[in-house]
Amino acid sequence: MAIQSVGVIGAGQMGNGIAHVFALAGYDVLMTDISAEALEKAVALIDKNLERQVSRQKITPADKAAAMGRIATTQTLADLGQCDLVIEAATEREAVKHAIFAELVPHLKPSTILTSNTSSISITRLASRTDRPEKFMGFHFMNPVPVMQLVELIRGIPTDEETYATLLEVVRKIGKTAATAEDFPAFIVNRILMPMINEAVYTLYEGVGNVESIDSAMKLGTNHPMGPLELADFIGLDTCLAIMNVLHEGLADTKYRPCPLLTKYVEAGWLGRKSGRGFYDYRGETPIPTR
């Protein structure tokens, strides 16, 4: 089926990036959030990020104007009912996602493909609580969405071939590359990445190295562009912990046990960049390690 209109649920870090790339690729985008302020901030950030692309000559001013003209916002979830494709990019909590789908599903047209940008939660389980499990998929973008080239496509047990083929084409049209993953906890990227981050936190917890030495060792020793603790702060420590819990519970293997120090940082509200403190303190001019 042809996709022309896209609904994006959530105007946060992921939602605004998803809206950005779809609008730039020529799709009509309707973005929703419970917060009017979040929607305003998202549109302003998309404008700023598109302007950065113009300044780097990646796109033209006309491209930017056209993309901004394709983005609309609403606080009413039901307004997304007529979209051809809906991408849920709300918080990484399963109960929240179920509640969103329960409210949205009665308003969807029969042909709408419903997807989740979840980074770890079972697609089959999310799909089972909707009226269209065969038209439900995991559509996992990487952060920051306009920059990162990968999209993980995750098929649930009931996902039909037409839905998969349609989304494969959509990924191509937005200029990304798809990696198909089976529906197991955390899929491919986070199944590999999060235990590495968790092990870095254990390395800090056990005193093997401090924040600076751990991040420097991984950047210089393995040529990673960002150290694992710096990356954890960028992702959000609450998100890292949530994914580790999904892995631990879903695979029942002690190697996925979240580090107690990661739990403590989240309990303290030190969630990384978004809260001003995590493994680094971001409240000054330059980030300072907190351990």
Side-chain angles (χ1 to χ4, degrees):
M1 64 173 285
I3 304 292
Q4 293 178 313
S5 56
V6 179
V8 178
I9 302 170
Q13 198 171 36
M14 297 304 293
N16 77 66
I18 292 167
H20 173 141
V21 299
F22 273 91
L24 195 55
Y27 293 93
D28 294 321
V29 177
L30 181 58
M31 183 166 48
T32 186
D33 198 282
I34 54 173
S35 163
E37 184 185 2
L39 288 168
E40 287 175 19
K41 283 184 177 178
V43 171
L45 185 58
I46 293 168
D47 186 275
K48 178 182 172 184
N49 288 337
L50 285 167
E51 187 56 42
R52 185 182 291 122
Q53 288 179 293
V54 171
S55 69
R56 293 175 179 172
Q57 299 184 323
K58 298 274 182 76
I59 63 172
T60 67
D63 292 332
K64 178 196 168 184
M68 290 303 298
R70 294 186 193 107
I71 298 171
T73 62
T74 179
Q75 284 183 264
T76 306
L77 189 59
D79 289 347
L80 273 59
Q82 292 306 302
C83 292
D84 300 321
L85 167 65
V86 174
I87 305 167
E88 172 273 315
T91 186
E92 190 68 356
R93 284 164 46 205
E94 188 167 346
V96 172
K97 295 181 189 297
H98 284 310
I100 287 168
F101 295 140
E103 185 180 340
L104 176 65
V105 160
H107 305 283
L108 294 177
K109 59 184 182 179
S111 60
T112 299
I113 293 176
L114 190 55
T115 69
S116 176
N117 182 56
T118 178
S119 50
S120 61
I121 297 167
S122 166
I123 298 304
T124 300
R125 195 164 63 237
L126 289 174
S128 72
R129 300 276 288 270
T130 74
D131 67 341
R132 61 197 65 216
E134 72 289 343
K135 290 189 177 299
F136 193 105
M137 277 193 73
F139 207 24
H140 182 216
F141 289 81
M142 307 295 129
N143 185 30
V145 180
V147 175
M148 301 295 278
Q149 290 301 301
L150 180 71
V151 179
E152 283 184 314
L153 286 182
I154 306 101
R155 303 168 75 154
I157 286 177
T159 305
D160 64 28
E161 193 59 38
E162 183 188 12
T163 300
Y164 172 71
T166 300
L167 289 187
L168 206 55
E169 178 62 14
V170 167
V171 173
R172 188 191 68 77
K173 283 186 176 177
I174 61 173
K176 305 289 187 190
T177 300
T180 304
E182 293 300 316
D183 186 22
F184 287 95
F187 319 129
I188 295 171
V189 173
N190 283 319
R191 171 79 177 261
I192 297 166
L193 174 64
M194 286 302 157
M196 184 195 78
I197 287 175
N198 194 51
E199 195 62 30
V201 183
Y202 266 115
T203 306
L204 178 65
Y205 177 61
E206 293 168 5
V208 180
N210 60 24
V211 168
E212 191 172 14
S213 63
I214 291 166
D215 276 351
S216 293
M218 292 304 289
K219 282 192 284 191
L220 301 177
T222 61
N223 210 26
H224 288 192
M226 198 181 284
L229 301 175
E230 184 185 359
L231 180 57
D233 276 358
F234 180 74
I235 294 166
L237 303 193
D238 51 340
T239 300
C240 294
L241 179 60
I243 295 169
M244 286 309 302
N245 281 326
V246 166
L247 280 165
H248 192 217
E249 292 160 17
L251 297 170
D253 191 326
T254 54
K255 73 179 180 181
Y256 299 114
R257 184 170 66 97
C259 178
L261 184 61
L262 179 61
T263 303
K264 284 296 175 193
Y265 267 68
V266 173
E267 287 174 346
W270 290 22
L271 308 180
R273 284 182 177 270
K274 62 187 175 185
S275 67
R277 275 187 293 188
F279 292 114
Y280 292 85
D281 189 329
Y282 299 93
R283 295 173 299 171
E285 284 188 22
T286 56
I288 299 167
T290 54
R291 278 182 177 248

